């Protein structure tokens, strides 16, 4: 599939948004785990929240890497579309 620079930039923006969402979710999930610990809830419940937070943090890392990759692709495509040497 051939993409334009604008399409690649859009993909970068979408991945960046996913990274932001995952970052927010990690914070919320970690806070939920902390709340369970504070109220002396079951260890299994807090552990589950912390595990979900770690999953969100991994998702954030992947999404941030994808956003960066698509931004690089957009930059390269822009140069090609403008006829500039790489």
């Amino acid at each position: 599939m051939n993409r334009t620079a604008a399409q690649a930039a859009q993909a970068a923006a979408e991945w960046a948004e996913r990274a932001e969402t995952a970052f927010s979710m990690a914070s919320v999930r970690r806070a939920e785990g902390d709340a369970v610990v504070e109220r002396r809830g079951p260890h299994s419940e807090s552990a589950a929240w912390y595990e979900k937070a770690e999953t969100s943090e991994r998702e954030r890392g992947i999404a941030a890497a994808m956003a960066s990759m698509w931004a690089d692709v957009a930059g390269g495509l822009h140069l090609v579309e403008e006829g500039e040497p790489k």
Side-chain angles (χ1 to χ4, degrees):
M1 171 182 195
N2 292 330
R3 288 189 184 247
T4 66
Q7 289 170 324
Q10 180 62 38
E14 290 169 2
W15 279 106
E17 188 174 316
R18 289 180 189 175
E20 281 185 41
T21 299
F23 177 77
S24 295
M25 289 305 301
S27 297
V28 167
R29 289 171 171 171
R30 191 160 306 284
E32 288 290 338
D34 292 345
V36 171
V37 169
E38 276 212 21
R39 72 172 193 267
R40 298 178 188 254
H43 174 73
S44 61
E45 184 180 347
S46 63
W49 281 111
Y50 292 138
E51 187 176 320
K52 289 176 185 179
E54 289 174 10
T55 298
S56 292
E57 288 167 354
R58 283 190 298 276
E59 290 171 1
R60 180 203 169 271
I62 292 167
M66 292 297 292
S68 180
M69 188 254 337
W70 279 112
D72 289 344
V73 169
L77 287 173
H78 177 72
L79 292 176
V80 170
E81 289 172 2
E82 295 297 314
E84 297 180 27
K86 292 183 182 175

